[in-house]
Amino acid sequence: MARWRWRALILLIYVVIGIYIAWVYDYITAGLLRDLAEALLAVFLWFLVLLGIDLHIG
């Protein structure tokens, strides 16, 4: 079980560093994050979209 935790921790650190590097080099922007948030809202709250509620941010 301890080996699994170390692998998970290393993977988490790897992903966090990757996200930071992508942000610094403008592969991830505020607009991209907004679009991603809108898409996730539409996926998880699809019934609101069918009722005509606008889930666009901004």
Side-chain angles (χ1 to χ4, degrees), residues 19-47:
I19 290 171
Y20 174 75
I21 296 299
W23 182 270
V24 168
Y25 285 94
D26 293 329
Y27 288 102
I28 297 175
T29 61
L32 176 68
L33 293 177
R34 187 184 71 240
D35 292 342
L36 181 63
E38 288 177 354
L40 288 174
L41 281 173
V43 167
F44 290 112
L45 301 175
W46 58 267
F47 53 89

